[in-house]
Amino acid sequence: MERLIAVVVLTAIIHLINTLIYAVRPAGVMTRRLATAYSLFNVIFLIAQTANMLQAPLLSSIIEHAIMRGQQAAGSVANLLQSPVYQQELTSLNYQIRTVILGATLGTLLGALLIPTFITVFTKGIYLFDQVKSVPKMVGMVIFSPGKVAKSAREAVRVPNRQFFVQAIREKLTIPRKFLVLNVFVTGIYTTAVLSSLYAGALFPEFRATATLLSGIINGIATILFATVVDPTAAGLTDQALRQERPEKDIKQMSFYLALTRLTGTLLAQIFFVPAAWIIKYVAQIIAHGGL
């Protein structure tokens, strides 16, 4: 149970930070320092990468322990999938992985709520970097002047209320809808790709390494959609705002809807999870039995 809780928390942190990236473009447009904004965010993104490095082996160990318990009960690998005990393990894994996906949803929700605050904090951070010209110096200020930094952070905190969301939704949409819809599917695929491949490994334990490494098949679809539609559209809208061809509020609106569609995508991942696992298992069987 402790291992599962750790995985859920780490997954929430990863998706929290990946959602906060939507605050970078508004902050970059407001300060006219978009390149600096992305460079500084990479420092924060290191936290997500560290969480991902910790999460992956923990999650993999949950799958391995389930397979091991099933093998001990069944007595042999050949009878594993027919074992009632292993079927119970698969059912338990299903619930556990869905709980991990729920962690992704909660992290995304928290990130969406923090976007207004993060835009303000990040804008101040960009201006501070302009003064000190060094990330280590900025980190030093945080370490050696925590009171001042905390006071500034408290002043920047903006918790969106119900009226904020009502107004945001009622406001006329001035950005393309197509890339927002695609962002739902891209997020849904990204959220479940590795999880589905791990579950596929439990469904096909003899070649679970093959199944696990096939997550790229699912991620590849999301990568194509993201690289050809979602990211270029968002970048184009941001450049228009930098050239003052559209107002800054459009980029803030884009940030809000990207966070909203990302949240919807993590919910959609609950639907994608099992079908994606069976697709990966099927491809793994073809490869394992010499079909490719």
Side-chain angles (χ1 to χ4, degrees), residues 52-290:
N52 192 53
M53 286 189 295
L54 295 172
Q55 179 232 39
L58 286 173
L59 188 54
S60 180
S61 70
I62 291 174
I63 306 295
E64 292 293 338
H65 279 292
I67 294 173
M68 191 187 314
R69 287 192 296 268
Q71 288 176 344
Q72 290 173 351
S76 68
V77 177
N79 299 326
L80 184 59
L81 291 175
Q82 287 73 40
S83 168
V85 174
Y86 192 64
Q87 289 300 317
Q88 290 177 0
E89 290 290 347
L90 288 177
T91 301
S92 178
L93 277 178
N94 188 304
Y95 285 123
Q96 289 179 44
I97 294 178
R98 289 189 184 279
T99 303
V100 173
I101 297 175
L102 178 60
T105 301
L106 294 176
T108 302
L109 177 60
L110 181 58
L113 293 174
L114 289 175
I115 282 178
T117 296
F118 194 72
I119 289 175
T120 305
V121 171
F122 206 56
T123 299
K124 292 185 177 183
I126 291 170
Y127 285 130
L128 178 62
F129 179 79
D130 253 7
Q131 295 174 17
V132 301
K133 306 295 184 183
S134 169
V135 170
K137 285 184 179 180
M138 287 181 63
V139 174
M141 292 180 67
V142 172
I143 295 174
F144 296 110
S145 303
K148 184 178 179 181
V149 173
K151 180 182 177 182
S152 179
R154 284 196 299 271
E155 291 173 353
V157 171
R158 296 171 56 197
V159 180
N161 54 26
R162 181 175 176 273
Q163 185 61 33
F164 170 84
F165 292 105
V166 171
Q167 182 179 349
I169 292 173
R170 286 180 178 176
E171 195 174 56
K172 183 181 177 182
L173 195 63
T174 57
I175 56 177
R177 291 175 172 80
K178 181 180 178 181
F179 90 113
L180 293 175
V181 174
L182 284 176
N183 193 49
V184 175
F185 289 95
V186 168
T187 304
I189 295 169
Y190 273 139
T191 301
T192 195
V194 174
L195 299 174
S196 293
S197 66
L198 287 169
Y199 188 66
L203 294 172
F204 191 34
E206 305 98 303
F207 293 90
R208 55 184 177 273
T210 302
T212 301
L213 292 174
L214 282 171
S215 61
I217 291 179
I218 307 297
N219 266 337
I221 300 171
T223 301
I224 292 171
L225 292 174
F226 181 79
T228 57
V229 180
V230 177
D231 194 52
T233 302
L237 295 172
T238 306
D239 284 343
Q240 289 174 13
L242 284 170
R243 294 194 300 267
Q244 298 183 337
E245 295 174 4
R246 64 168 59 237
E248 288 181 3
K249 69 178 183 66
D250 284 6
I251 306 306
K252 291 182 178 179
Q253 183 187 66
M254 179 183 73
S255 176
F256 170 78
Y257 275 99
L258 282 174
L260 182 62
T261 52
R262 180 181 178 86
L263 179 64
T264 306
T266 63
L267 296 172
L268 187 64
Q270 297 280 4
I271 299 174
F272 285 168
F273 164 52
V274 173
W278 281 101
I279 291 172
I280 293 172
K281 179 195 173 187
Y282 175 73
V283 175
Q285 286 176 322
I286 294 175
I287 295 174
H289 295 142

